[in-house]
Amino acid sequence: MEDHISNTDNKNFKFKELRVYSSTEWLADNKKKYRQVFDRFDTTYIYAELSFYNKLFDQDIWEVDIELKCYEIKNNKKQVCNLTFKKKVSKFDHIVFIREGWGNKKEGSFWKKGTYYWEAWIDGEKISTKYFYVEDVGDFSMTTNENPYTAIQSLKLYEGQYDDVLEEDRTYMTAFSHEEARYIYAEITLENKINEDHWHCELFIKFYNESRELKGQVIRLHNVKKDDSVIKITAGWGANTKGSWKQGMYSIEVVFMEKLLAVVYFEVGNVFVEGLSAIQLPGKTSEYLLQEDVLTQSYQEVFDAMQALIGLNDIKQKVKEHAKYIEFLKLRKVKGFKEQERINVHSVFTGNPGTGKTTVAKMMGQIYKNMGLLSKGHVVEVDRVDLVGEYIGQTAPKTKEAIERARGGVLFIDEAYALSRLNDDSKDFGREVIEILVKELSNGKGDLAVIVAGYPKEMKHFIHSNPGLKSRFKHFFEFQDYLPQELIEIAEVSAKQREIAFTKESFDLIKEIITTAYRERDKSFGNARYVQDLLDRAKLNMALRVMSRKNPSRLSKDELMEIQLPDVISLKPVTLLKIADIPIDELFLSEAIRELNQLIGIDNIKSQINEMVSVVRYYRETGKNVLANFSLHTVFIGNPGTGKTTVARILAKIYRALGILERGHIVETDRQGLVAGYVGQTAIKLPKK
C-alpha cells in the first residue's frame, strides 16, 4: 500500500520509490531484502529506503531537507519516530538513496504486533507512504527450519492470460509449449497454522531460467483471516502475446519472510504436458512433496485397477506373485526368522513401446508404498538424455539429482539400454550412470525402487554390461505385444474417454487397420500408443469435416462426436490404399517369359516365377489388391555366375508387364555403392539409390 502525494515536476528531484526492509545484508546492485511483513521476535531495526531521481545530475550540487516518519495504526496513528536531516545531493548521483531505520538491536524488544507505515517528506511536502506489518506468533525465531506461520500443501502450474483463469477451468501442466505459452501461473496452497487470529502473508514468487537468471518476480500480500484453514495464492509471469518463453528448464521458488518454502521445476519445450510436478522442500534435498491423488489409493484399490487393465495377464499374475512373496518375507521376520535375504524391489521391464510398462511401474510404486517398502510411491521417469551430461563432470550431478527426486518412490529409466553402447565405447558417459546406479543400489540411502525398461535383446546386453547390475535386478517382467482383439478393446475404451463414437462401417475399418498393423508389426510397433494415435487422427479428420460445413454450431451433440467412414478411410496404410490401375501388357509379358524360359537350367526358379505370374493374374482379374497380399522383396542365393543378375532383370520386366511396377527398371549396386567411408555419408548414399 503506497500513496503518492506531491507533484514534484517543478522540483530538483522526481520521486522514485519508498520501500521497507530489515536486513542490512549487502546484495547485488545495491539492493536490500525489501518486504512488508516481519516477525516480531526476528526483527531488530526496520528501515525505510527513499529514492528519487536527481534532475540536476551532472549539473550542480544542491541540498534537500528529508523527514522519515513512522506511525502505528492501532493507537490512533501514534508516531513511532520522526527522523529529520539535511542531505547534500552530489551532481554525480543520478538516483539518490536515503536509508534510515528505527528499533532496537535486541530482537523482539521494540516492535510489537500491528500495522505501521512510513511517511517520506522532502522539503516540507509529503511525498509517499508505505505500509508494513509486524506479526507475533510467540518467541519463535524464523532462522530455524521450522515455520510457525504456514507450510506448503501444493504448488500447481497452469497457463493463461494476464487476467488469470478461473480455478475450475485450470489445466495443470508439468511442461509448456514455447510457441503457445503466454503467462505461466503458479497456484500455491498453504496451510494456515495460525487460525486463532488474522495475519498478513507476504509471498515472493521468483521465476528462474536454466542459468539461474531471475526471469521475473511477483509479490503477493494476502490478509489471512482467522477462519481460513488454507491460503490460496496465484502468481504468473509472461506476456499476453505468445513466444515470450524460450525452450529450456525453469524453476519457481516461493519465499516467505526471507525463507524458501518450496521449489518446483518445469520445462518449456515443444508441447504442453498435463500433470502435477513434485515439489522440492527446502533443506531436505531428498524430500519431495507429491501432489497426485493416485497416491492415496489403498493396496486393494491398486490391484483392482491393475486387474481392470486390458490384456497383460502374465504381468498381472507375476506382479501378484511378487507381492505375495514380499508379504511372505515380512511375515517370516515378524515370526522371528533371521531372514538374510533383503527384499529386492528393483525390476527389469522388457517389451515393445505402448505395452503398458509405465502404467504398471506407477502401480508398482503404489504397491510398494502400501507395503511399507517406499515412503511415497511416486514415479520419476527418465531416459539417457536426463541422466547423461554433454561434458565431463555433468553426468554425476544429473544422475544423483534424478535419484534424489525419485527417493521414496520409483526411478523409471526408459530405454535403459542406451546407457550401455553396443560398441562398448569406454569413453561413453552412460557407463558413469550405470556405476552410480550400482553404487546406489548397493549401499545407498535406500527408500528407492529402480525399474529399467527397453527392448528384450538390448536389455539383455544392458544387464550384462556391468557385473553389479545382474545381482541387483532379480525381477524380470516381459510385456508381450497386445493381441488384435485387445487393441480393438483398447480402441473402444479410448473412444469413450475421448467422447467420440464410431459408426458400424467406420469401426469395422478401424478394426481392419489395427489387424493389418498387427500382422506387419516389428519391434517398433506402438501397440496401445498406435491405437491412441489412430483415434486422435480420426478425431482430427472428423473435426475438419465438421468445420467445413456451413454453421457447424447448429450440429447436435451426437453429430459432433460421430466418426464416419470418410474420417477413417485416409488412415488406411499404403498397402490398403488403391494403387494405380495399370493393365497387364500381354505382349511385353510374353516376351519376358520367353526370355526367362530360354535360360539354361534353373528349372526351379522358372517354375516359381511362372506360378507367381499365374497367381497375380488371378488377383488382377478378380479385383484384389496384389500389393496388400504379396511381398515383392526377394532374396537371391547362389554362387557367382549362376544367373542371379540376369533373372533379376527379367523379373523386373515381368513386374512391369503385370502392372505391379510403374517403370520396371533395375538399379544395380554393391556394398561400396551403399556404405560410405565417413560418418553421416551412408545415410545420404543409400536414399539416393
Side-chain angles (χ1 to χ4, degrees), residues 10 22 27 71 130 135 145 181 247 254 275 298 317 321 334 367 396 403 429 462 510 520 532 534 562 608 639 669 689:
N10 298 322
S22 64
L27 301 176
Y71 295 91
K130 188 72 173 184
E135 303 296 345
N145 286 330
Q247 293 193 63
V254 180
S298 68
Q317 182 62 29
E321 291 171 357
V334 170
I367 291 170
I403 289 172
F429 295 147
F462 168 75
I510 282 285
E520 298 176 354
Q532 306 290 355
L534 198 63
E562 185 177 78
Q608 290 180 48
N639 291 330
T669 187
K689 292 294 182 184

Side-chain angles (χ1 to χ4, degrees), residues 339-566:
E339 195 66 62
Q340 299 297 319
E341 179 184 358
R342 289 183 60 185
I343 296 178
N344 190 304
V345 291
H346 312 303
S347 306
V348 178
F349 285 8
T350 60
N352 287 335
T355 47
K357 296 188 293 294
T358 305
T359 302
V360 173
K362 292 179 179 178
M363 293 180 171
M364 296 280 275
Q366 293 308 298
I367 291 170
Y368 291 149
K369 175 180 180 288
N370 280 292
M371 298 178 77
L373 301 176
L374 296 176
S375 60
K376 299 173 183 176
H378 66 296
V379 173
V380 173
E381 187 175 355
V382 296
D383 56 18
R384 178 186 168 89
V385 175
D386 301 311
L387 301 174
V388 176
E390 296 181 22
Y391 307 105
I392 294 174
Q394 288 186 326
T395 298
K398 289 182 74 173
T399 303
K400 290 175 182 177
E401 191 272 338
I403 289 172
E404 292 306 325
R405 276 196 292 133
R407 186 79 65 189
V410 175
L411 179 64
F412 182 82
I413 307 177
D414 199 12
E415 297 180 354
Y417 52 82
L419 297 173
S420 58
R421 300 297 194 192
L422 291 173
N423 59 7
D424 293 328
D425 184 359
S426 60
K427 296 181 180 179
D428 182 62
F429 295 147
R431 290 180 172 274
E432 186 179 357
V433 176
I434 295 174
E435 290 168 3
I436 294 171
L437 277 176
V438 170
K439 186 177 180 180
E440 169 64 35
L441 300 183
S442 301
N443 51 21
K445 292 184 283 187
D447 196 15
L448 178 71
V450 177
I451 297 177
V452 291
Y455 296 121
K457 181 180 177 182
E458 287 82 350
M459 288 306 296
K460 185 177 181 181
H461 171 81
F462 168 75
I463 292 298
H464 288 88
S465 66
N466 185 297
L469 288 175
K470 192 173 181 180
S471 62
R472 286 155 183 85
F473 288 97
K474 295 186 177 180
H475 306 292
F476 290 78
F477 297 84
E478 185 178 354
F479 288 72
Q480 299 290 339
D481 285 339
Y482 286 104
L483 297 172
Q485 59 268 31
E486 293 171 338
L487 293 172
I488 291 168
E489 189 178 349
I490 290 172
E492 292 173 336
V493 173
S494 299
K496 291 179 181 178
Q497 293 171 345
R498 285 171 170 76
E499 295 184 294
I500 57 177
F502 288 88
T503 62
K504 183 183 184 304
E505 295 79 7
S506 63
F507 197 68
D508 285 344
L509 185 52
I510 282 285
K511 291 192 287 187
E512 180 186 346
I513 293 171
I514 290 174
T515 303
T516 302
Y518 176 82
R519 284 174 177 159
E520 298 176 354
R521 75 192 188 283
D522 55 20
K523 73 173 187 177
S524 64
F525 178 57
N527 284 281
R529 294 181 195 171
Y530 170 79
V531 173
Q532 306 290 355
D533 178 63
L534 198 63
L535 265 59
D536 286 337
R537 288 159 58 200
K539 187 177 180 181
L540 174 62
N541 289 344
M542 174 186 67
L544 296 176
R545 172 178 54 80
V546 166
M547 298 310 292
S548 67
R549 297 180 52 169
K550 290 184 178 180
N551 301 319
S553 59
R554 295 181 179 177
L555 296 175
S556 66
K557 189 174 180 180
D558 289 341
E559 289 175 308
L560 289 173
M561 65 184 295
E562 185 177 78
I563 303 290
Q564 298 179 2
L565 187 60

